[in-house]
Amino acid sequence: MHQVRTYNAISTKGLERLSPDCFEVGSDLSQPDAILLRSHKLSTSDIPESVSAIARAGAGVNNIPLDHCTGKGIVVFNTPGANANAVKELVAAGMLLASRDIVGGMNFISSLDPQLGAEEMAPLLEASKKQFAGAELQGKTLGVLGLGAIGSLIARLGLDLGMEVVGYDPAISIEAAWRLPSSVKKMDNMQALFSRSDYVSLHIPVLDSTRGLINADTLGHFKPGACLLNFAREQIVDTASVVDALNKGQLRKYVTDFPAPALVGRRDTLLMPHIGASTQEAEENCAVMAADQIKAFLDHGNIKNSVNFPAIELEPNSNTRLAITNENAPGALSHILNVLSDAKVNVVDLLNKSRGDIAYNLIDVNASPTSDLLGQLRALPGVINVRLLSGACA
C-alpha cells in the first residue's frame, strides 16, 4: 500500500486515479511515499525521509525546494500542458481587452444612474461610445516568445484571429516544433521579434537566464505603442522598467496575471489575480496527470515530466525491479551490477538514464534481493537511494 500526502484541494478526478486498494491518500500522513500538491509552499521540513516523489498539479515548481529534493534523490514532477488551454483562453481575453476599451466601456455603464430612463440612456451611450473605440486584432502582428505547450497554442490562436504571427524560442524541442503551424515566422532573436510585434506574449520559464529578461534594454527594442502580455511568470518582467516604458509610450498596454503595487490603478494596465489556470477543466487535467505520474513511479519506477530526473520508461520483464538513483559518475553502474552478480542475482533487463549530476537505473532481476543485498547496494559510493518494486498493486 502506497501512501500519498496531499496539500491544497486536489481535484477528485485526479485522486480517483489512485485506487484505495493500492493507495492511502490524505493530508495528515506522517510517512508518505509521495506528496501531491498545487501551490502550497513546501519547505524541507515538510518532506519526510520516506518521500521518493513530489508531484505538482501545475507547471511551475518554484514552491518546491528542488535542489534539496535532487540531493535526496526525490523525483519532482510537474504537469506541462495540462492547463495550456485555460491559459490560452485567458491570453485571448487579454488581447481583446487590450485592443478595445471594453473594461472602460463596462465601467462607464456601471457608473450610470440606474434610475435613468431608456429615452435618456440611448443618446448618452451614442455620444459617449467614441471614447471607448479601439482597433481590431486582425492584420496586427503577434510575437510569441517561447513556443512550448502554451506558446504554440497562442501562435495558432493568433493565426485563427487573422494576425501575422512571429515566434522565437532558442530551446524549442522537436515535439514543440511539430506542433507549430508552418505559417508562424521564426525570428532569429528576441530583438527582431520585439521590433515587429504589435502584441508580445511571453511563454518562457523562470531560469537564471530569463529572470528580469523584459527590462529597460529589451523594452527599448519594442515597437512603439506595442502591448505586452505576461501570463508566464512574474519574475520574467522588471516592473519598474515596464512602468517607465508605459510612461514614455513605448508600451501602450501591459496585460498580466501578476499584479504589482506599482501597476495598480493605471489605465494602461490590465491586471488579473493569477487566474491563468483557474478553470475546473485545468485543475482536473493537472490533477489527473500528476496522479498518473505518481502511480507510474511508485508502481514501476517510470518517470515522465520530471524537472530534475531523466525521462525513463521500462516495460516490466520480471516481478521484481530495483530503482536506483546514484551520482552520475563513471563506473557507478558497474559497481551496482557487480554487487548483483556476486549475489547470484541475474539481471533480466536494464535501463540507465542520466540528467546533469543524477543517474537513474531501472533493473529487472530474477529474484527478490535480500535485505543484506539491498544494504550493500545502498552502501555503494555515490548511491543516493535504492527502491525495491514488485509491480503494480492488484
Side-chain angles (χ1 to χ4, degrees):
M1 176 75 73
H2 300 305
Q3 292 192 341
V4 179
R5 181 172 183 173
T6 58
Y7 289 89
N8 311 117
I10 306 297
S11 167
T12 55
K13 284 203 172 181
L15 298 181
E16 287 169 357
R17 311 289 283 201
L18 303 174
S19 166
D21 294 332
C22 306
F23 292 88
E24 182 181 1
V25 181
S27 60
D28 56 354
L29 300 175
S30 61
Q31 295 296 310
D33 301 292
I35 291 173
L36 176 57
L37 51 72
R38 290 172 57 201
S39 58
H40 174 80
K41 184 71 171 177
L42 202 65
S43 67
T44 56
S45 61
D46 293 327
I47 307 174
E49 290 295 323
S50 59
V51 171
S52 59
I54 299 172
R56 179 172 186 248
V61 291
N62 55 320
N63 58 323
I64 298 170
L66 197 57
D67 290 342
H68 170 82
C69 291
T70 303
K72 292 286 189 178
I74 299 171
V75 182
V76 178
F77 298 95
N78 68 346
T79 57
N83 60 10
N85 188 71
V87 177
K88 180 200 79 173
E89 291 186 2
L90 193 62
V91 172
M95 286 199 296
L96 291 166
L97 291 172
S99 66
R100 305 174 69 170
D101 191 10
I102 299 168
V103 173
M106 295 174 70
N107 288 339
F108 169 73
I109 296 298
S110 297
S111 71
L112 296 178
D113 185 349
Q115 304 302 317
L116 196 66
E119 67 284 353
E120 298 172 282
M121 182 177 289
L124 179 60
L125 296 181
E126 191 64 30
S128 303
K129 68 180 184 181
K130 65 182 70 175
Q131 64 183 298
F132 308 114
E136 297 180 14
L137 293 174
Q138 181 172 289
K140 303 300 188 301
T141 298
L142 169 63
V144 183
L145 182 60
L147 297 166
I150 298 175
S152 58
L153 288 181
I154 300 302
R156 191 177 295 276
L157 166 69
L159 294 174
D160 291 342
L161 291 170
M163 305 178 79
E164 179 184 0
V165 180
V166 297
Y168 176 70
D169 189 334
I172 189 169
S173 66
I174 294 174
E175 181 183 354
W178 276 109
R179 285 197 301 261
L180 202 62
S182 59
S183 48
V184 175
K185 296 181 176 63
K186 318 307 190 294
M187 296 289 99
D188 293 331
N189 51 61
M190 287 188 302
Q191 290 78 9
L193 180 142
F194 296 153
S195 65
R196 63 182 293 174
S197 300
D198 301 296
Y199 295 81
V200 174
S201 193
L202 307 177
H203 301 286
I204 54 177
V206 176
L207 306 169
D208 289 341
S209 58
T210 62
R211 198 175 298 273
L213 183 69
I214 304 302
N215 52 41
D217 180 53
T218 50
L219 285 165
H221 294 279
F222 274 59
K223 187 176 181 179
C227 171
L228 174 63
L229 301 104
N230 180 19
F231 289 84
R233 283 290 179 266
E234 178 181 9
Q235 297 90 338
I236 294 168
V237 173
D238 178 66
T239 300
S241 298
V242 167
V243 169
D244 188 54
L246 288 168
N247 291 339
K248 292 177 179 177
Q250 185 72 26
L251 286 181
R252 178 179 58 84
K253 287 275 188 183
Y254 180 46
V255 187
T256 184
D257 210 16
F258 311 101
L263 301 170
V264 175
R266 297 185 64 105
R267 290 179 57 85
D268 49 11
T269 62
L270 294 168
L271 310 177
M272 303 175 194
H274 202 186
I275 55 174
S278 295
T279 68
Q280 178 181 336
E281 294 85 351
E283 291 182 9
E284 291 174 353
N285 292 340
C286 289
V288 166
M289 184 182 290
D292 284 350
Q293 290 165 178
I294 284 179
K295 184 178 188 303
F297 178 75
L298 293 181
D299 282 348
H300 301 296
N302 293 331
I303 298 175
K304 183 179 181 181
N305 295 326
S306 170
V307 298
N308 64 336
F309 268 62
I312 187 170
E313 182 175 0
L314 181 66
E315 286 295 321
N317 286 290
S318 77
N319 292 326
T320 305
R321 169 171 288 182
L322 291 167
I324 302 177
T325 304
N326 59 272
E327 296 171 1
N328 188 18
L333 179 57
S334 297
H335 295 319
I336 292 169
L337 296 179
N338 287 339
V339 169
L340 294 175
S341 177
D342 291 344
K344 309 301 182 187
V345 173
N346 186 48
V347 174
V348 178
D349 204 354
L350 178 151
L351 191 57
N352 165 271
K353 292 286 184 73
S354 63
R355 179 172 179 173
D357 296 330
I358 287 291
Y360 183 70
N361 314 272
L362 293 178
I363 306 174
D364 288 348
V365 294
N366 68 336
S368 183
T370 64
S371 58
D372 286 344
L373 178 55
L374 293 175
Q376 291 179 50
L377 290 169
R378 292 183 176 115
L380 285 172
V383 168
I384 298 172
N385 59 40
V386 177
R387 297 172 59 228
L388 177 62
L389 311 175
S390 56
C393 175

